[in-house]
Amino acid sequence: MILILGGTAEARELAAALHARGVSVTSSLAGRVSRPRLPAGEVRIGGFGGPDALARWLEEHDVHAAIDATHPFAERISASAARACAQAGVPLLRLERPGWDERPGDRWTWVEDLDAAAAAIPRLGARVLLSTGRQGLAAFAGVADAWFLVRCVDPPDPPLPPRHELLLDRGPYTLAGERALIEANRVDLVVTKDSGGEHTVAKLDAARERGLPAIVVRRPPRPSGVATVVAVADSLAWALARHDAG
Ligand code: NAP
């Protein structure tokens, strides 16, 4: 069986491609969102209980190979997968979409983490589209001199910034939609993680068009020693080769 650590569009694409080829595939989701988009094939939901428990799971479920296709900011599960696969002797591939590149007209400020993003806000804008996701919003709770449009899939836990509006929504987002959102809310600053990919990039395209600044949170470091590809097709070829060998 091939295990995909998922929660991303690329993970769903890979699961669909393997399933369509008759390969036994299980996708693992963290269970963070209340109504996840379910991939093709088998799905299991919830944490494993750390790297040792994941290593046991790999052995018990006769996993031939694993693909870590989790989000670029999901640090803990990637570290856990690297340790567990090494421990259980299961080949591991990382599938990670490339980050976004600055283009002419962009006014980006790169920061290391959400705390640094919060600290940079007061000098860059007063009406913020905050699209860093539901987790970690406490970093912005102390920013009292800006108004926030907080966009996430499910309602976040407090604390949140004192002046905010919540927008529950999930991508993919269109350029026309992002333009309209920015205009209607008089947004003058976009704050985002460097998630990469096409599904959520339109906010940055809309900001560029309007000459607005953006704060972009850099990706965290990856576990070392894990082979990495950026294209779903390459991860598919790798998984099929492991499946055939198994
Ligand atoms: P994280 O901090 O790396 O993970 C925290 C814990 O959640 C892990 O230690 C693991 O628990 C469990 N977990 C995470 N992903 C899992 C998976 N695919 N299958 C089973 N257990 C998983 O991750 P996160 O940032 O909370 O993200 C959770 C999920 O949401 C990820 O799967 C990711 O692909 C997706 N996602 C994250 C973001 C983001 O910005 N972080 C954005 C979009 C989607 P145990 O230690 O108990 O195994």
Side-chain angles (χ1 to χ4, degrees):
M1 180 256 277
I2 303 285
L3 173 69
I4 301 175
L5 298 167
T8 58
E10 291 79 5
R12 284 191 297 277
E13 247 184 81
L14 176 60
L18 286 169
H19 185 66
R21 284 163 177 78
V23 175
S24 159
V25 57
T26 297
S27 294
S28 173
L29 305 178
R32 291 282 184 282
V33 296
S34 52
R35 284 173 298 120
R37 292 194 176 112
L38 292 179
E42 296 294 316
V43 178
R44 66 159 301 284
I45 298 183
F48 294 94
D52 293 341
L54 175 53
R56 278 196 300 280
W57 196 96
L58 294 171
E59 283 160 359
E60 282 164 13
H61 291 81
D62 195 20
V63 173
H64 289 129
I67 295 107
D68 171 13
T70 58
H71 191 269
F73 283 80
E75 265 182 283
R76 278 196 289 154
I77 187 67
S78 288
S80 187
R83 241 183 80 185
C85 287
Q87 211 168 305
V90 170
L92 171 68
L93 182 74
R94 168 72 178 157
L95 169 60
E96 181 169 310
R97 62 176 91 133
W100 289 317
D101 288 322
E102 255 174 292
R103 307 228 312 252
D106 279 328
R107 296 175 52 207
W108 293 4
T109 297
W110 286 93
V111 295
E112 293 307 312
D113 53 27
L114 295 179
D115 288 336
I121 287 173
R123 67 185 168 80
L124 290 170
R127 295 185 64 83
V128 181
L129 171 58
L130 183 59
S131 61
T132 51
R134 181 163 64 101
Q135 295 181 71
L137 290 177
F140 301 92
V143 185
D145 38 9
W147 173 87
F148 290 81
L149 182 60
V150 178
R151 181 167 70 187
C152 38
V153 177
D154 283 318
D157 294 328
L160 294 174
R163 294 192 295 126
H164 76 266
E165 198 178 303
L166 200 55
L167 175 60
L168 298 184
D169 201 356
R170 98 158 105 196
Y173 299 107
T174 64
L175 180 56
E178 298 296 57
R179 271 188 202 129
L181 189 72
I182 285 176
E183 200 157 313
N185 292 282
R186 291 176 290 117
V187 165
D188 62 9
L189 173 63
V190 171
V191 179
T192 179
K193 292 173 173 171
D194 178 18
S195 297
E198 293 301 315
H199 286 197
T200 59
V201 74
K203 62 195 166 195
L204 289 168
D205 294 333
R208 181 186 316 112
E209 268 186 9
R210 297 184 69 93
L212 299 181
I215 296 174
V216 184
V217 182
R218 264 186 227 289
R219 293 180 173 191
R222 308 298 319 168
S224 59
V226 179
T228 300
V229 297
V230 298
V232 173
D234 291 336
S235 67
L236 175 62
W238 183 91
L240 289 174
R242 297 303 170 293
H243 173 72
D244 292 344

